[in-house]
Amino acid sequence: MNSDERRFEVLRAIVADYVSNQEPVGSKALVERHNLGVSSATVRNDMAALEDEGYIAQPHTSAGRVPTDKGYRLFVDRLSEIKPLSQAERRAIRSFLDGALDLDDVMRRSVRLLAQLTRQVAVIQVPTLSRAAVRHLEVLPITPSRLMLVLITDTGRVDQRIVEMGDIVSEDDVAHLRSSLNQAMAGQKLSDASAKVAELPDEVPQDLRDPMLRLATVLIETLVEHPEERLVLGGTANLTRNVADFPGSLRQVLEALEEQVVVLKLLAASRDPGRVMVYIGEENEAAEMRSTSVVSIGYGSRDNPLGGLGVVGPTRMDYPGTMAAVRAVANYVGEILTGR
């Protein structure tokens, strides 16, 4: 191999040892632990070159070196492929997620699983209603003058609203209202459905205009025009296991996770289900996240991206393993939600 390839092998060995041991890595340890095929003197020269180029740094007066953000970036960019999870790991993921009861349960199970697999903080963006399409709308009588709207989307999300009708509505009228609403909304993106729903009061028989207006108003105001954007987090306590990885900044990271806006912005940029994105240290736009790395990916399909998921952890991270876990969980979450 040429000198550049050899230096990258030295960098890769430094990354592996530092991620594993959290101790600065010296040339002697590299020669002993890794089959680099060169002398200690050559390794020292390569380490000096890597340090001059900003890929590794000396944290204090010891002989050891640690990777920099630039070094981690080169390491991640040079990964020829993401090592797939084992068959047993994939079966465990599928079995765990297949047991989910509804969308919220899928979200909770996903972050719990991803946090366990990576030992980092896992985050997933709940699909917003504006990106969902209507699978079915159920209209159920609670009392003769009170109805429940149950909106079921193609992402598996279920939203319920109680509507006071102000007057008694017969079973036949409920059936007519249900049929009219489903004909207008089924298969429509919720962001497009509001216009169709708004027209319905003028299209139903005169005696149903008032009840339809009440139902349409609730649908438009609470389900279509105000979609919520939220995250589900899991494994936050994992950050506190390695406080030394966040010198003076762990509190800022925890506050950013709690506020969610910063992480939502990062996940919004990771909408491609086919590509794992890695933001390392200073690459994170938000100052409070610059001691972290964020590994994320979109889930759903290219034609119907539903949201993003990923993990947040220190820059001293098992990048290949984390990237594989993030991609695998995203694949299964996408399959479960788009297959429902």
Side-chain angles (χ1 to χ4, degrees):
M1 67 179 74
N2 62 36
S3 59
D4 286 343
E5 291 171 342
R6 190 183 66 239
R7 285 172 189 166
F8 178 71
E9 290 304 312
V10 171
L11 173 64
R12 182 155 58 183
I14 292 171
V15 170
D17 281 8
Y18 184 61
V19 167
S20 176
N21 303 322
Q22 202 177 353
E23 294 289 341
V25 184
S27 58
K28 182 179 178 182
L30 288 179
V31 172
E32 290 174 351
R33 294 175 188 159
H34 301 272
N35 183 25
L36 296 173
V38 293
S39 66
S40 295
T42 301
V43 171
R44 285 194 296 272
N45 289 335
D46 288 340
M47 290 177 70
L50 288 167
E51 187 171 8
D52 288 343
E53 294 168 5
Y55 293 112
I56 59 175
Q58 186 176 24
H60 43 75
T61 54
S62 74
R65 303 294 188 274
V66 301
T68 62
D69 289 355
K70 183 179 178 182
Y72 285 127
R73 168 49 60 194
L74 179 63
F75 172 75
V76 169
D77 288 346
R78 291 281 295 272
L79 289 173
S80 57
E81 59 182 33
I82 301 174
K83 181 183 177 182
L85 299 184
S86 69
Q87 289 283 356
E89 288 170 322
R90 292 201 294 271
R91 280 196 300 271
I93 292 172
R94 181 178 289 279
S95 174
F96 186 67
L97 294 182
D98 278 348
L101 302 174
D102 54 27
L103 177 68
D104 286 340
D105 198 18
V106 172
M107 300 292 105
R108 288 191 296 269
R109 285 172 179 254
S110 298
V111 294
R112 194 179 352 160
L113 178 63
L114 196 51
Q116 289 172 352
L117 288 171
T118 64
R119 298 178 66 80
Q120 311 292 357
V121 179
V123 293
I124 188 167
Q125 182 182 15
V126 178
T128 62
L129 283 171
S130 61
R131 287 197 290 268
V134 179
R135 176 165 291 176
H136 181 69
L137 183 73
E138 190 56 72
V139 183
L140 302 170
I142 305 300
T143 70
S145 61
R146 178 185 293 173
L147 301 181
M148 176 185 285
L149 285 173
V150 183
L151 181 71
I152 305 168
T153 73
D154 61 347
T155 62
R157 182 166 178 165
V158 178
D159 271 83
Q160 300 178 160
R161 296 292 187 276
I162 300 295
V163 185
E164 299 291 344
M165 302 307 292
D167 205 348
I168 292 175
V169 184
S170 71
E171 290 186 9
D172 287 344
D173 287 345
V174 169
H176 194 137
L177 292 166
R178 181 189 302 120
S179 176
S180 297
L181 285 166
N182 274 296
Q183 284 180 18
M185 297 183 69
Q188 296 286 324
K189 291 287 185 183
L190 285 181
S191 53
D192 301 327
S194 57
K196 291 184 176 293
V197 172
E199 295 170 356
L200 285 178
D202 294 328
E203 297 176 357
V204 296
Q206 182 70 36
D207 60 332
L208 289 181
R209 285 188 179 180
D210 181 65
M212 180 61 83
L213 182 61
R214 289 173 183 262
L215 295 178
T217 300
V218 169
L219 280 170
I220 294 169
E221 289 184 354
T222 65
L223 299 181
V224 179
E225 293 186 347
H226 304 288
E228 58 181 322
E229 187 91 61
R230 63 188 177 97
L231 289 176
V232 178
L233 279 75
T236 307
N238 285 333
L239 290 184
T240 62
R241 289 186 299 105
N242 297 305
V243 178
D245 284 316
F246 305 95
S249 63
L250 180 56
R251 181 177 176 181
Q252 291 180 339
V253 174
L254 292 172
E255 288 175 349
L257 290 171
E258 186 176 338
E259 290 175 4
Q260 299 196 354
V261 176
V262 170
V263 184
L264 276 168
K265 190 173 180 181
L266 282 166
L267 293 184
S270 305
R271 297 294 306 282
D272 184 351
R275 184 182 180 196
V276 178
M277 302 291 292
V278 182
Y279 301 93
I280 300 171
E282 293 293 326
E283 295 172 356
N284 287 301
E285 186 177 326
E288 56 267 49
M289 299 292 286
R290 287 178 185 161
S291 61
T292 72
S293 284
V294 180
V295 180
S296 58
I297 192 173
Y299 67 90
S301 65
R302 291 184 187 277
D303 296 333
N304 184 26
L306 301 176
L309 65 79
V311 300
V312 178
T315 55
R316 187 185 65 85
M317 177 187 290
D318 171 16
Y319 289 98
T322 300
M323 293 165 74
V326 165
R327 185 174 66 178
V329 172
N331 284 343
Y332 287 122
V333 171
E335 287 178 13
I336 289 170
L337 296 185
T338 57
R340 286 187 167 183

